[in-house]
Amino acid sequence: MNLLLLSNSTQYGCGYLEHALDTVTAFLPANARLAFVPYALADHTTYTARVREALEPSGITVRGVHENPDPAAELAASDAVFIGGGNSFRLLDALYRTGLREAVRDAVRGGLPYMGASAGTNMAAPTLRTSNDMPIVQPPSFEALGLVPFQINPHYLDPDPASTHKGETREERLTEFLEENDVPVLGLREGSWLRVDGDRAHVRGARPARLFSRAATPRELAPDSDVSRLLTTEPRFDAPAR
């Protein structure tokens, strides 16, 4: 498969996708027709216009799947697919309702380039269980696309030692996940992304990632780290640590 999984679509001080634009345009086929999936936000038209504004100057034709009465037909007519960020639960619910969960999964497994950002990156994992989002709707299942066999946590935040906030840190929440599930979690800080090309996977971008595994100390992964071995993961969900 051919995947570009961004932690975030907007970086502080930059326009939409600006921080990764060279990577995005190099990833997408030249003069591509891009199927954009806007379901993570409520206003699909405005969201699609934002993506058009960012990508069409680079020769990419952006079509929102909602603009076609048959979203799967729009996907089938495209050279690549981009699932944008927003609320992951709303997004997955819409993918189930429109039939795009199966259509996107099958097309990408068949070679269609897939780009995700934030919630769209969550979709590439087996489930939503490591999403940061509030469940504002209830999808039929937490099962996502399963394009990679491990979990991803976009927008990963390090604990702030100066904070007086007493809620759980992101690291504590992921540790709790690993107490119940034996699946590695790749924490992607903002400004980083995961690039998958066939059986090869690398952390890319400006910042290191952080890898969480059961019964192991979290590991820092510098940009350009080879994480291809994660593609051989055999996930075990609902497998409490003993």
Side-chain angles (χ1 to χ4, degrees), residues 14-122:
C14 299
Y16 187 79
L17 289 176
E18 184 180 358
H19 70 291
L21 188 60
D22 289 346
T23 295
V24 168
T25 54
F27 170 75
L28 296 173
N31 301 312
R33 174 171 172 155
L34 178 66
F36 175 59
V37 180
Y39 298 144
L41 294 184
D43 188 342
H44 302 160
T45 299
T46 299
Y47 198 3
T48 302
R50 184 189 309 168
V51 179
R52 281 199 179 105
E53 183 179 2
L55 295 182
E56 290 201 338
S58 300
I60 307 299
T61 298
V62 176
R63 288 276 302 170
V65 293
H66 68 290
E67 297 171 329
N68 191 320
D70 184 349
E74 187 61 45
L75 178 72
S78 299
D79 303 305
V81 59
F82 173 32
I83 300 187
N87 186 277
S88 297
F89 292 90
R90 172 159 54 191
L91 170 58
L92 184 57
D93 185 59
L95 292 180
Y96 273 100
R97 284 190 287 101
T98 59
L100 280 181
R101 176 179 170 270
E102 294 80 8
V104 170
R105 180 195 60 201
D106 294 346
V108 175
R109 288 178 178 175
L112 186 74
Y114 177 98
M115 185 169 81
S118 187
T121 289
N122 278 331

Side-chain angles (χ1 to χ4, degrees), residues 1 7 15 21 24 30 43 85 93 99-100 122 140 150-151 155 175 181 184 190 195 212 233:
M1 288 181 290
S7 176
L21 188 60
V24 168
D43 188 342
D93 185 59
L100 280 181
N122 278 331
F150 53 91
Q151 291 298 116
H155 304 283
T175 298
N181 306 276
E190 293 196 345
R195 181 71 174 89
F212 296 85
T233 296

Side-chain angles (χ1 to χ4, degrees), residues 129-141:
R129 297 187 195 199
T130 53
S131 170
N132 306 317
D133 297 328
M134 181 179 291
I136 61 173
V137 298
Q138 182 170 313
S141 168

